[in-house]
Amino acid sequence: MTFTGDSRAKILILTAFLVSVGLIFVFSAGSMQALRIGRGELFFFTKQLLSVFAGLAMMYMAYRIPIRTWRKFVPVLYFLTLVLLIAVFFFRPINGSHRWIIMPGINLQPSELAKFTTVLYLAHYLDKKHDKMGDFSRGFLPASILLGIMGALILLEPDYGTTMLIIAVSFGMFFVGGASLKHMFGVIGFIAPIIGAGLMVGYRKGRILSFINPWEDRYGTGYQLIQSLTAVGSGGVFGKGIGNSSQKLHFLPEAHTDFIFAIITEETGMFGGFVILAAVLALFVIGVRVAMKHTDLFAKLLTFGLAFCLLVQAFFHMSVVTGLLPTKGIGLPFVSYGGSNMLFSLFMTGVLIRSAEEAE
């Protein structure tokens, strides 16, 4: 692989930086979590490192595939994603959710594949139906139905975080792809009450109420958010120093996964948090610039969609950690512990690097 192109080098450098930061803080936060469950302190770090190596292999594989070739895989990938999303319900739940296909040595999360499938399908559809996107029945509706099926399966797991991510990415691509705002707002008006009703049932209602006022139930539904805000606030400007977090000492649940940004800001302060944010934004901006260089609409939309997907996921993660969004389980791309998240984040990066090469 050569990197004569400036965009390719920047994408690779930013990705390497975020992955390296992730390994550091998975070790920092994960060591205590590993000891708590009776494992060695390198348990989560070692598993994450193996995921990085596997992800790099997937990134290289994705890089080797020409952008136009992906159009041939759209029907197969869509069908495969549906099959895997249905298959999760035949495996035992983990933490009350059917999100994983459990195999020896690895748990695969099909909703991670669904993110890529969503972007690929929409890039193909919006290019193919570009002149019909102003027509609701012939343009906007068919794609909405097919994506809605995937979203409904993810919602049933239940995984509201990934569902909202896919909705956000889909509407972002619809907007860029020329869909009517009237149609988009109409669909939002239709699905919003359904999602809202689901959010106000069971433990999710508690999360919404604790988001509004976490101190009302500070030892129950509001506990995780309060501990996260404590971590972020106690880091100050430059943090307590790497390895010196107090919240990772069993105070903040899921510190190495869904709340790793809280540990980063506690140990490196606002400065470290802004560096991570800047790296994520820079990756998105480079992706948009690469997309704008393409004359082919499919390549343009695929590149934008992948960069936008990584940005939205990072935004959701940081917003949950800082209390801007209700608590939900969603990892920080390249950084949070999680094999499926790492594999598909690096896979998407491989596609971005290939796109940058073809756009030169």
Side-chain angles (χ1 to χ4, degrees):
M1 189 188 297
T2 58
F3 291 98
T4 54
D6 187 53
S7 296
R8 288 172 292 169
K10 288 178 180 178
I11 291 171
L12 190 63
I13 290 169
L14 287 169
T15 301
F17 169 71
L18 290 169
V19 169
S20 299
V21 169
L23 288 171
I24 291 170
F25 285 95
V26 165
F27 173 71
S28 177
S31 58
M32 299 306 301
Q33 303 295 321
L35 292 173
R36 182 178 63 84
I37 62 174
R39 303 281 189 167
E41 62 179 359
L42 293 176
F43 176 72
F44 289 117
F45 173 82
T46 302
K47 292 187 70 174
Q48 186 76 340
L49 188 60
L50 292 174
S51 296
V52 169
F53 287 136
L56 290 173
M58 288 185 66
M59 182 175 78
Y60 181 74
M61 180 186 73
Y63 162 77
R64 298 294 299 173
I65 300 175
I67 294 298
R68 295 293 299 179
T69 303
W70 283 111
R71 300 197 78 151
K72 301 176 182 178
F73 300 136
V74 172
V76 174
L77 269 177
Y78 180 82
F79 179 75
L80 175 63
T81 302
L82 287 186
V83 169
L84 293 176
L85 288 173
I86 293 170
V88 297
F89 296 101
F90 294 92
F91 291 85
R92 63 177 176 84
I94 298 177
N95 296 329
S97 297
H98 291 275
R99 300 182 188 180
W100 294 269
I101 293 176
I102 303 168
M103 298 177 290
I106 185 172
N107 295 338
L108 177 66
Q109 197 168 356
S111 58
E112 293 292 336
L113 173 61
K115 298 172 188 176
F116 177 72
T117 302
T118 297
V119 173
L120 177 62
Y121 169 75
L122 274 178
H124 167 74
Y125 185 87
L126 290 169
D127 179 30
K128 184 178 178 181
K129 301 283 189 178
H130 183 64
D131 59 340
K132 296 183 177 66
M133 289 312 298
D135 188 311
F136 181 75
S137 60
R138 292 192 299 163
F140 187 79
L141 185 60
S144 299
I145 291 173
L146 289 178
L147 292 175
I149 293 171
M150 276 202 308
L153 288 171
I154 297 172
L155 196 63
L156 288 172
E157 292 180 357
D159 186 347
Y160 273 74
T162 303
T163 303
M164 296 305 297
L165 170 63
I166 286 178
I167 291 173
V169 171
S170 297
F171 278 102
M173 292 188 68
F174 272 128
F175 177 75
V176 172
S180 166
L181 285 175
K182 179 177 65 175
H183 298 160
M184 291 168 61
F185 283 118
V187 171
I188 290 174
F190 175 75
I191 64 175
I194 299 173
I195 295 177
L199 287 173
M200 296 308 291
V201 175
Y203 73 92
R204 288 181 292 274
K205 179 179 179 180
R207 284 186 174 183
I208 296 295
L209 295 177
S210 67
F211 164 69
I212 298 171
N213 182 13
W215 284 270
E216 186 173 341
D217 187 11
R218 61 185 308 167
Y219 298 110
T221 55
Y223 178 80
Q224 197 169 27
L225 177 56
I226 290 174
Q227 298 304 316
S228 178
L229 293 174
T230 299
V232 173
S234 64
V237 178
F238 295 108
K240 300 176 179 178
I242 295 177
N244 293 328
S245 165
S246 57
Q247 291 304 110
K248 71 182 181 183
L249 303 176
H250 312 318
F251 292 107
L252 177 59
E254 308 299 334
H256 60 311
T257 56
D258 300 336
F259 283 82
I260 198 166
F261 187 68
I263 302 301
I264 292 174
T265 53
E266 183 183 9
E267 295 189 354
T268 64
M270 283 193 301
F271 176 78
F274 280 125
V275 168
I276 300 298
L277 178 60
V280 171
L281 287 172
L283 188 60
F284 172 68
V285 170
I286 293 168
V288 171
R289 288 178 177 174
V290 169
M292 292 174 67
K293 290 181 181 178
H294 282 284
T295 56
D296 178 64
L297 182 58
F298 170 75
K300 189 187 295 288
L301 290 169
L302 181 63
T303 305
F304 168 79
L306 294 176
F308 187 57
C309 183
L310 292 171
L311 175 70
V312 172
Q313 183 172 340
F315 170 77
F316 277 10
H317 176 92
M318 294 177 184
S319 296
V320 168
V321 164
T322 55
L324 296 176
L325 287 175
T327 302
K328 60 174 71 68
I330 192 162
L332 182 59
F334 309 110
V335 179
S336 291
Y337 173 80
S340 295
N341 181 36
M342 181 63 72
L343 289 177
F344 285 102
S345 293
L346 289 174
F347 179 81
M348 289 192 285
T349 302
V351 180
L352 286 175
I353 293 173
R354 179 71 190 208
S355 178
E357 180 176 287
E358 294 186 10
E360 294 297 333

